[in-house]
PDB file of all heavy atoms in Angstrom:
ATOM      1  N   LYS A 196     -24.288  17.038  27.387  1.00  0.00           N
ATOM      2  CA  LYS A 196     -24.993  18.292  27.849  1.00  0.00           C
ATOM      3  C   LYS A 196     -25.550  18.017  29.227  1.00  0.00           C
ATOM      4  O   LYS A 196     -25.561  18.993  30.063  1.00  0.00           O
ATOM      5  CB  LYS A 196     -26.227  18.596  26.889  1.00  0.00           C
ATOM      6  CG  LYS A 196     -25.788  18.887  25.480  1.00  0.00           C
ATOM      7  CD  LYS A 196     -26.926  19.174  24.551  1.00  0.00           C
ATOM      8  CE  LYS A 196     -26.467  19.354  23.009  1.00  0.00           C
ATOM      9  NZ  LYS A 196     -27.703  19.528  22.260  1.00  0.00           N
ATOM     10  N   ASP A 197     -26.158  16.847  29.483  1.00  0.00           N
ATOM     11  CA  ASP A 197     -26.768  16.587  30.792  1.00  0.00           C
ATOM     12  C   ASP A 197     -25.824  15.646  31.535  1.00  0.00           C
ATOM     13  O   ASP A 197     -25.746  14.420  31.166  1.00  0.00           O
ATOM     14  CB  ASP A 197     -28.093  16.010  30.590  1.00  0.00           C
ATOM     15  CG  ASP A 197     -29.085  16.924  29.819  1.00  0.00           C
ATOM     16  OD1 ASP A 197     -28.865  18.139  29.924  1.00  0.00           O
ATOM     17  OD2 ASP A 197     -30.108  16.434  29.257  1.00  0.00           O
ATOM     18  N   ARG A 198     -25.176  16.020  32.573  1.00  0.00           N
ATOM     19  CA  ARG A 198     -24.136  15.319  33.122  1.00  0.00           C
ATOM     20  C   ARG A 198     -24.493  14.572  34.447  1.00  0.00           C
ATOM     21  O   ARG A 198     -23.858  13.630  34.808  1.00  0.00           O
ATOM     22  CB  ARG A 198     -22.888  16.332  33.366  1.00  0.00           C
ATOM     23  CG  ARG A 198     -22.571  17.024  32.124  1.00  0.00           C
ATOM     24  CD  ARG A 198     -21.361  17.975  32.356  1.00  0.00           C
ATOM     25  NE  ARG A 198     -20.085  17.334  32.460  1.00  0.00           N
ATOM     26  CZ  ARG A 198     -19.357  16.890  31.436  1.00  0.00           C
ATOM     27  NH1 ARG A 198     -19.831  17.281  30.091  1.00  0.00           N
ATOM     28  NH2 ARG A 198     -18.184  16.312  31.619  1.00  0.00           N
ATOM     29  N   TYR A 199     -25.476  15.157  35.204  1.00  0.00           N
ATOM     30  CA  TYR A 199     -25.949  14.353  36.312  1.00  0.00           C
ATOM     31  C   TYR A 199     -24.832  13.788  37.222  1.00  0.00           C
ATOM     32  O   TYR A 199     -24.609  12.611  37.342  1.00  0.00           O
ATOM     33  CB  TYR A 199     -26.857  13.262  36.022  1.00  0.00           C
ATOM     34  CG  TYR A 199     -28.143  13.629  35.296  1.00  0.00           C
ATOM     35  CD1 TYR A 199     -28.356  13.477  33.915  1.00  0.00           C
ATOM     36  CD2 TYR A 199     -29.286  14.146  36.005  1.00  0.00           C
ATOM     37  CE1 TYR A 199     -29.550  13.791  33.274  1.00  0.00           C
ATOM     38  CE2 TYR A 199     -30.453  14.470  35.414  1.00  0.00           C
ATOM     39  CZ  TYR A 199     -30.533  14.359  34.118  1.00  0.00           C
ATOM     40  OH  TYR A 199     -31.733  14.634  33.400  1.00  0.00           O
ATOM     41  N   MET A 200     -24.077  14.684  37.892  1.00  0.00           N
ATOM     42  CA  MET A 200     -22.839  14.413  38.655  1.00  0.00           C
ATOM     43  C   MET A 200     -23.233  13.943  40.124  1.00  0.00           C
ATOM     44  O   MET A 200     -22.818  14.558  41.053  1.00  0.00           O
ATOM     45  CB  MET A 200     -21.901  15.543  38.605  1.00  0.00           C
ATOM     46  CG  MET A 200     -21.423  15.976  37.213  1.00  0.00           C
ATOM     47  SD  MET A 200     -20.524  14.690  36.440  1.00  0.00           S
ATOM     48  CE  MET A 200     -19.035  14.550  37.409  1.00  0.00           C
ATOM     49  N   SER A 201     -23.847  12.883  40.200  1.00  0.00           N
ATOM     50  CA  SER A 201     -24.366  12.370  41.437  1.00  0.00           C
ATOM     51  C   SER A 201     -23.245  12.116  42.486  1.00  0.00           C
ATOM     52  O   SER A 201     -23.372  12.281  43.677  1.00  0.00           O
ATOM     53  CB  SER A 201     -25.199  11.134  41.280  1.00  0.00           C
ATOM     54  OG  SER A 201     -26.377  11.419  40.587  1.00  0.00           O
ATOM     55  N   LYS A 202     -22.096  11.550  41.960  1.00  0.00           N
ATOM     56  CA  LYS A 202     -21.057  11.188  42.901  1.00  0.00           C
ATOM     57  C   LYS A 202     -20.434  12.396  43.620  1.00  0.00           C
ATOM     58  O   LYS A 202     -19.961  12.213  44.659  1.00  0.00           O
ATOM     59  CB  LYS A 202     -19.951  10.483  42.099  1.00  0.00           C
ATOM     60  CG  LYS A 202     -19.283  11.344  41.040  1.00  0.00           C
ATOM     61  CD  LYS A 202     -18.306  10.448  40.245  1.00  0.00           C
ATOM     62  CE  LYS A 202     -17.529  11.179  39.109  1.00  0.00           C
ATOM     63  NZ  LYS A 202     -16.692  10.359  38.283  1.00  0.00           N
ATOM     64  N   ASP A 203     -20.686  13.585  42.981  1.00  0.00           N
ATOM     65  CA  ASP A 203     -20.222  14.817  43.701  1.00  0.00           C
ATOM     66  C   ASP A 203     -21.109  15.364  44.706  1.00  0.00           C
ATOM     67  O   ASP A 203     -20.844  16.279  45.407  1.00  0.00           O
ATOM     68  CB  ASP A 203     -19.857  15.828  42.608  1.00  0.00           C
ATOM     69  CG  ASP A 203     -18.672  15.463  41.719  1.00  0.00           C
ATOM     70  OD1 ASP A 203     -17.888  14.616  42.127  1.00  0.00           O
ATOM     71  OD2 ASP A 203     -18.570  16.066  40.582  1.00  0.00           O
ATOM     72  N   LYS A 204     -22.490  14.763  44.609  1.00  0.00           N
ATOM     73  CA  LYS A 204     -23.416  15.367  45.492  1.00  0.00           C
ATOM     74  C   LYS A 204     -23.835  14.414  46.553  1.00  0.00           C
ATOM     75  O   LYS A 204     -24.494  14.929  47.637  1.00  0.00           O
ATOM     76  CB  LYS A 204     -24.726  15.634  44.628  1.00  0.00           C
ATOM     77  CG  LYS A 204     -24.399  16.515  43.476  1.00  0.00           C
ATOM     78  CD  LYS A 204     -25.679  16.661  42.451  1.00  0.00           C
ATOM     79  CE  LYS A 204     -25.272  17.396  41.300  1.00  0.00           C
ATOM     80  NZ  LYS A 204     -26.458  17.391  40.226  1.00  0.00           N
ATOM     81  N   ILE A 205     -23.500  13.161  46.524  1.00  0.00           N
ATOM     82  CA  ILE A 205     -24.108  12.269  47.441  1.00  0.00           C
ATOM     83  C   ILE A 205     -23.561  12.458  48.868  1.00  0.00           C
ATOM     84  O   ILE A 205     -24.408  12.266  49.831  1.00  0.00           O
ATOM     85  CB  ILE A 205     -23.737  10.807  47.057  1.00  0.00           C
ATOM     86  CG1 ILE A 205     -24.433   9.724  47.945  1.00  0.00           C
ATOM     87  CG2 ILE A 205     -22.204  10.544  47.093  1.00  0.00           C
ATOM     88  CD1 ILE A 205     -25.869   9.546  47.627  1.00  0.00           C
ATOM     89  N   LYS A 206     -22.486  13.190  48.939  1.00  0.00           N
ATOM     90  CA  LYS A 206     -21.942  13.480  50.446  1.00  0.00           C
ATOM     91  C   LYS A 206     -22.848  14.606  51.117  1.00  0.00           C
ATOM     92  O   LYS A 206     -22.747  14.757  52.228  1.00  0.00           O
ATOM     93  CB  LYS A 206     -20.572  14.017  50.218  1.00  0.00           C
ATOM     94  CG  LYS A 206     -20.327  15.305  49.423  1.00  0.00           C
ATOM     95  CD  LYS A 206     -18.896  15.715  49.244  1.00  0.00           C
ATOM     96  CE  LYS A 206     -18.640  17.022  48.570  1.00  0.00           C
ATOM     97  NZ  LYS A 206     -19.102  16.915  47.164  1.00  0.00           N
ATOM     98  N   ASN A 207     -23.619  15.221  50.292  1.00  0.00           N
ATOM     99  CA  ASN A 207     -24.521  16.282  50.816  1.00  0.00           C
ATOM    100  C   ASN A 207     -25.872  15.681  51.289  1.00  0.00           C
ATOM    101  O   ASN A 207     -26.668  16.541  51.686  1.00  0.00           O
ATOM    102  CB  ASN A 207     -24.681  17.349  49.794  1.00  0.00           C
ATOM    103  CG  ASN A 207     -23.433  18.024  49.310  1.00  0.00           C
ATOM    104  OD1 ASN A 207     -22.524  18.300  50.180  1.00  0.00           O
ATOM    105  ND2 ASN A 207     -23.368  18.374  48.106  1.00  0.00           N
TER     106      ASN A 207
END
Side-chain angles (χ1 to χ4, degrees):
K196 299 176 182 177
D197 298 337
R198 307 178 74 84
Y199 294 104
M200 299 299 293
S201 294
K202 63 184 178 183
D203 296 337
K204 305 172 185 176
I205 190 71
K206 64 181 182 296
N207 299 324

